[in-house]
């Protein structure tokens, strides 16, 4: 398994973007001048294009649109053609065509779809078997109250969180 890696590093400027922003990625290109097949994917290919990557540090820009909600993958396949004549006498062929591939996962958020949920209890602390009354209020980021809403509430003792974080 000690073969040559076929991975190329793609470094996102951020891991999360909002609609209307431009996602930027640094492609650490080991083959300056190589051709790249770039695709935007989520449950299939949303868009794709081919471009030449002239530099070792190529920047790829992707406009973040609503169709990319709730996130997407940037896929890059780099292809480098033959750079040296074929090796003679059964030597290692260092100039042969080669490829590299990489992915970056990005979250996309739409503040217009986010809800602000406020939770209020009668007291700050409760003991085991105490009855807890909870008041829940929800609004959109624009201050509107949603017309239809369904809540799911789970209440856990703080010691449960301590056990989970310790284990």
């Amino acid at each position: 398994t000690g073969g040559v890696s076929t991975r190329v590093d793609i470094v996102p400027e951020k891991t999360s973007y909002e609609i209307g922003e431009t996602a930027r990625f640094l492609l650490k290109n080991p083959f300056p001048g190589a051709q790249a097949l770039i695709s935007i994917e989520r449950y299939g290919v949303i868009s794709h294009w081919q471009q030449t990557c002239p530099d070792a540090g190529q920047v790829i820009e992707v406009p973040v649109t609503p169709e990319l909600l709730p996130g997407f993958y940037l896929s890059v396949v780099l292809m480098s053609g033959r750079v040296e004549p074929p090796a003679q006498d059964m030597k290692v062929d260092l100039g042969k065509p080669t490829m590299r591939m990489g992915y970056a996962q990005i979250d996309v958020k739409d503040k217009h779809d986010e809800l602000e949920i406020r939770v209020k209890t009668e007291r700050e602390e409760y003991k085991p078997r105490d009855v807890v009354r909870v008041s829940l209020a929800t609004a959109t980021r624009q201050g509107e109250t949603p017309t239809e809403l369904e809540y799911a509430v789970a209440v856990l003792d703080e010691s449960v969180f301590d056990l989970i974080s310790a284990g």
Side-chain angles (χ1 to χ4, degrees), residues 78-93:
L78 279 173
M79 296 153 288
S80 176
R82 179 165 288 286
V83 294
E84 294 285 331
Q88 302 297 322
D89 303 327
M90 304 286 286
K91 293 182 181 177
V92 176
D93 188 1

Side-chain angles (χ1 to χ4, degrees), residues 26-75:
L26 174 64
L27 174 65
K28 294 184 178 181
N29 180 8
F31 313 125
Q35 289 292 310
L37 173 60
I38 302 167
S39 62
I40 306 300
E41 304 172 10
R42 190 190 75 245
Y43 302 118
V45 176
I46 295 172
S47 65
H48 67 281
W49 66 95
Q50 187 175 335
Q51 76 180 51
T52 301
C53 298
D55 302 319
Q58 181 72 35
V59 175
I60 299 170
E61 294 187 344
V62 177
V64 180
T65 60
E67 72 180 341
L68 299 181
L69 281 167
F72 67 93
Y73 290 89
L74 174 79
S75 167

Side-chain angles (χ1 to χ4, degrees), residues 115-120 134-140 144-154:
L115 296 175
E116 292 181 357
I117 300 173
R118 290 177 296 287
V119 179
K120 191 174 182 183
V134 178
S135 171
L136 300 170
T138 306
T140 64
E144 301 167 356
T145 302
T147 55
E148 292 185 33
L149 194 60
E150 199 172 299
Y151 291 102
V153 178

